Amino acid sequence: MVRKGEDRLFQTVTMLILALVGLVSVVPLLYVFSVSLTPFAEVLRHGGYVLIPKEITFHAYKKLFESSGIPRALGVTVYITVVGTMINLLLTTLVAYPLSRKKLPGRNIFLMMVVLTILFSGGIIPTYLIVKATGLIDSLWALILPGAVNSFNVLIIKSFFEQLPEELFESARIDGAREFRILFTLVIPLSVPAMITVGLFYAVGHWNSFFSAIMYMTDRSLYPLQVVVREILMLSQQQVENVEEQVPTVTMQMAAVIFASLPILVVYPFLQKHFTKGMLLGSIKG
Amino acid sequence: MNRSKWVPLSLTAALVTGSLLAGCSSGSGSTSGGDAAAKPGESASASPSAAPSAPVKIQMAMAASGLPSPENDDIKKTIDKKLNTDLQLTAIASGEDYKNQIRVRISGGNFPDLFSVELADVKEFSDKGLLLDLTPYIDKDLKTAKDFVLSEQKEIIKKATINNKLYAIPRIGDVPFSTMWIRQDWLDKLNLKMPTTLDEMMAVAKAFTEQDPDGNGKKDTYGLTGAKIGAFASVFGGFGAGGPGTFYEKDGKVMNGYYDPAMPDALKFIKSMIDAGVVDPEIMTNKANIEVQKAFQGKAGMIFRGWTDMAKDEFVAQYKAINPNANWVQISPPLKGPGGAYDGAYDYDRPSRYWVIPKALEKDKAKLQKVFDLINYVSSAEGNRLVMYGLEGKHYNLKDGKVIPTDLMAKEGNYFNLYQITGRPNKEYLEIKFPNQAAATDVAIKAPRIKAFDSSVLPPTGYNKADADRFAEEELIKFVTGKRPLSEYPDFLKTFETTFQYKTFVEAGEKQIRDQGFVK
Amino acid sequence: MSSNSWSAEPAVQPGAGIKKKQTFWKTIWSHKEFYLMLLPGVIYYIIYKYAPMYGMVIAFKDYDMSEGILGSPWADPWFKYFQQFYESPYFSQLLTNTILISVYKLAFGMLPPILLAILLNECRVRWFKSLVQTLSYMPHFLSWIIIYGILLMFFSQDSGIINRWIIDAGGKAIPFLSSTEWFRTMLVGSEIWQNLGWGAIIYLAAIAGIDPTLYEAARVDGASRMQMIWHITLPGIRSVIILLLILRLGHMMDAGFEQIYVLYNVYVYPVADILDTWVFRTGLEQWNYSLASAVGLFKSLIGLVLVLLSNAMAKRWGDSGIW
């Protein structure tokens, strides 16, 4: 009986804190969203801030689409995100699985190889030279291959693989399974939350990337979405240098932000159910 | 246990690095290969050695925005047809990103054929032998372009010359846009006269702050807004000073703004404004154009700003939408002070861009000729009209030889200026493009300003401009906000000269300005 | 690092007997599948990560674009660029700010995502959990330019909502964004806000990996929610927490360039100017690749030391660490 009351109190406090977190997160987003839908003059009249639009217009979105090849840029972004993330996940798991086997001879050499790249990098010029030497300049692969494996993500996946009980592997090996089969039929299915997490990290990384595009592309038609969005944001930050320059209004900036993040935002709720798949492990063990 | 693993690691690292040293030296060293070798994957049709009918591919790069995709780019298409080229313009919105990209491309031997850089870069790149010396070409192959820029600005070639050699084609400089703006409707409401002197301006600023010009019953307005110390340009001008760090002529000698004897007086005046509470308290932290928004919202009645931010149709519509009575007008002539009446300082001879050609292009005569053709074409009467106004019949119509813009010009024409490699005759151009702003444009052009020479000055090696700028900005703000007494101004200069080596910069600047013959 | 530690690797021990060597190769061969798996990754690392690393030498050279990295002349003295950075009048301030801001962010920012993940896991109302999880993840997608606008809305001295409340309550407006007392708080606070939900994702994944039978057993034993959190959830995500902590320490010298660059202003330079903003401003004037590399190398070396130390400590306390 005592436990029950205590539990209820605990639930209430949890809900309250979570509600607060939700509120603190949503107000600024509401602002971005509302501004993007409000006529610009209305925004200015309210000192630049609108939380609930009284009058709704899609003018900012319309202008956004009129300019700057947004649809094509969106296509580029979706392509590099989908293809890139698949390559990332494959290569990352292939690296992480052997490294999670503590008895692998030379494991620490490989691990150090991975960790050092988190700390040290050659810099933009030698990286550019390598990208050029591998023939990727002005190719979308330049946005995928140079970041094909992220060391941080390798370590995360490895750490999750290490959590899997050793008996699992032993029984599989006794059954005569090869390591590739163990990885793809046992380890990966048991690590869905980790794979989803790292996949999300990679996907968001691709989605938000713009620097590689600016460095490696001279062809405008290969620019991803974030380059275009950044252009809109940068322009509104700088003083007008050319008389002709059209400074994007704050409503257009917000429309660009919403448009550029909405697709990746709506992916997340669909991934969330995979975070509660912990019971899988229990069922196999039992 | 763990640390022992370092041995093999460092060995592997050494091996990997060692083998790569050999591998990469050829890649990074072969800058002379230039563009032709840079892109193995490109289609062969672009190579200049192909059939004469094949268009020559020219890569241009600059920091700019608003470029449409190639299939919607009428200017590119027209030029391509005319010159038999395939013009590829890479425009990057952020100046910093562009700077990075261009360095990295050059390091990789992947030069654009024609690109825009800052004067300091012209010097650095030419010192390294990366740029084509245009001195032998300027009088013959580039004569059209030369005559064109000189027709507008007779000193401009000199401005692009370093050590008696011309490494860059200058683009005709911009005309000044900025003046002090004031809310005429506020003046009318409070029965005030248009201020003509700094003291009157101070009185008006006080009235704007204290007498509720917007009539909302709240004391929520200020006299002046702006961003950083530049907001006070007309104060410096009124005291006859060019503003912090600017180089200009005073009494027949080169003067640097920090050393102007009028500087402490100007700072004192600014301090009196801040002390009186008539200045936007966030004036030193405003950025990202927030100050213009504040002005439009009616938070302040004066701002020093370009007509490009205040008078263009869309901006007038914006502030009228907030308050239909709002009426921003220019203060003209500039406010008078003890040292004259100037709307700040302006570097009239500054080229608005410096275009350079890589040295490597020397080997590809056909392509080099095409680049020259391009530069000359946009400088010729026909080509210049194209890059100013677009296509006849589409973006403009001719009536008795006069250009009449169509609606499409306002809609599509905002990127044409990217192709104005050598610039345009500003007055005529602005009148046609911005007919509603002709008066404001004219006021800004004619406003008296202190003539600055900043574009002649390159910082000497070993002088860290970033540190010096930070120090000066911090200290000036301490002076005007009263955190440091103005009596310590000489001490500030002393630290500035010794710790931050400002003296070396000033001396280098004076010498460069004298060498170019602007001041005896 | 003591000298005897340089010779203890069995794999390269030259004095080992032939038999030992044979078993060694046998062990290697028995793991061939693992090496095959590693092969694509290793090739990737060599080409795109290790090949460019020769570029680090530029910290000791005067970079000359026409000569390339290897052809550029050696700096004279070799530590010229380290010296240039050390001799800046602001050196000690930059270093202090970098470390302090980073330590604050670590100290105050590490825990909130863990707590959020635990609370989300405890929440039994499905839709509510999902809603909060999604909402808290969103700020990660706002760039600092946008967040700056949002911060102004709340904290601007002149028109911020908070200051309007303060004034209405009879107080005096606080310049949150332009006072040396408040600025670091704003930095840390806005960073925590931006990363709260994003940072929680990885812990949620870790919690999902905990064997649910453990909770059932505890429930049977009559454990309270708090006890289960303390004895099951936290130990279950401990290795992830430690891994992230070690990696975060490796980036100790990255105090958040973009955030600070967008948010700072002249009044707060003394508490906000960090190594990266200084390098950026210096580079804006004179693109100094060697200087940027020197500072980068300096930061990396400090990160390396911290990673090695913290990893060793993690192992001493009985954890597996990174390796």
Side-chain angles (χ1 to χ4, degrees), chain B residues 123 126-127 135 158 160-167 511 515-516:
Chain B
K123 173 150 182 7
S126 60
D127 283 349
T135 326
K158 205 153 76 179
T161 306
I162 294 174
N163 299 332
N164 296 319
K165 282 191 171 162
L166 183 71
Y167 285 102
K511 185 173 177 304
D515 286 354
Q516 289 193 341

Side-chain angles (χ1 to χ4, degrees), chain C residues 27-39:
Chain C
T27 331
I28 296 270
W29 182 247
S30 69
H31 287 87
K32 57 183 183 304
E33 274 191 289
F34 288 118
Y35 295 116
L36 196 61
M37 284 180 190
L38 278 172
L39 191 64

Side-chain angles (χ1 to χ4, degrees), chain B residues 95-166:
Chain B
E96 186 59 23
D97 288 345
Y98 173 70
K99 215 167 171 173
N100 270 327
Q101 197 212 36
I102 210 76
R103 307 277 170 149
V104 166
R105 281 182 74 175
I106 291 176
S107 300
N110 188 8
F111 288 95
D113 303 309
L114 180 65
F115 55 106
S116 144
V117 290
E118 293 165 13
L119 183 63
D121 296 343
V122 177
K123 173 150 182 7
E124 189 196 330
F125 294 176
S126 60
D127 283 349
K128 307 280 188 215
L130 295 166
L131 301 183
L132 182 66
D133 179 6
L134 300 171
T135 326
Y137 302 99
I138 191 73
D139 290 321
K140 248 176 64 205
D141 307 75
L142 285 167
K143 192 169 184 315
T144 318
K146 182 191 174 189
D147 292 346
F148 176 68
V149 292
L150 284 179
S151 70
E152 283 286 307
Q153 263 170 298
K154 58 187 195 317
E155 308 280 13
I156 196 165
I157 296 282
K158 205 153 76 179
K159 280 279 186 179
T161 306
I162 294 174
N163 299 332
N164 296 319
K165 282 191 171 162
L166 183 71

Side-chain angles (χ1 to χ4, degrees), chain C residues 263-276:
Chain C
L263 299 190
Y264 75 173
N265 58 60
V266 61
Y267 293 114
V268 298
Y269 280 156
V271 295
D273 206 6
I274 55 167
L275 292 175
D276 290 339

Side-chain angles (χ1 to χ4, degrees), chain A residues 77-91:
Chain A
T77 296
V78 169
Y79 176 81
I80 58 167
T81 303
V82 172
V83 176
T85 305
M86 286 185 333
I87 293 177
N88 291 143
L89 278 179
L90 179 69
L91 284 178

Side-chain angles (χ1 to χ4, degrees), chain B residues 67-87:
Chain B
L67 190 68
S69 49
E71 65 270 17
N72 297 325
D73 188 340
D74 285 326
I75 308 292
K76 171 197 149 59
K77 284 194 278 192
T78 315
I79 292 178
D80 280 350
K81 212 190 273 163
K82 177 87 191 169
L83 301 178
N84 189 32
T85 52
D86 176 14
L87 190 54

Side-chain angles (χ1 to χ4, degrees), chain A residues 218 220 223 227 231, chain B residues 60-67 89-94 98 101 418:
Chain A
T218 54
R220 223 180 150 64
Y223 281 166
V227 176
E231 199 163 290
Chain B
M60 250 171 93
M62 67 195 300
S65 61
L67 190 68
L89 176 55
T90 307
I92 292 178
S94 144
Y98 173 70
Q101 197 212 36
L418 272 60

Side-chain angles (χ1 to χ4, degrees), chain C residues 157-172:
Chain C
Q157 182 185 355
D158 179 46
S159 52
I161 294 173
I162 308 268
N163 269 322
R164 264 188 251 163
W165 288 343
I166 293 180
I167 291 170
D168 287 347
K172 204 167 167 280

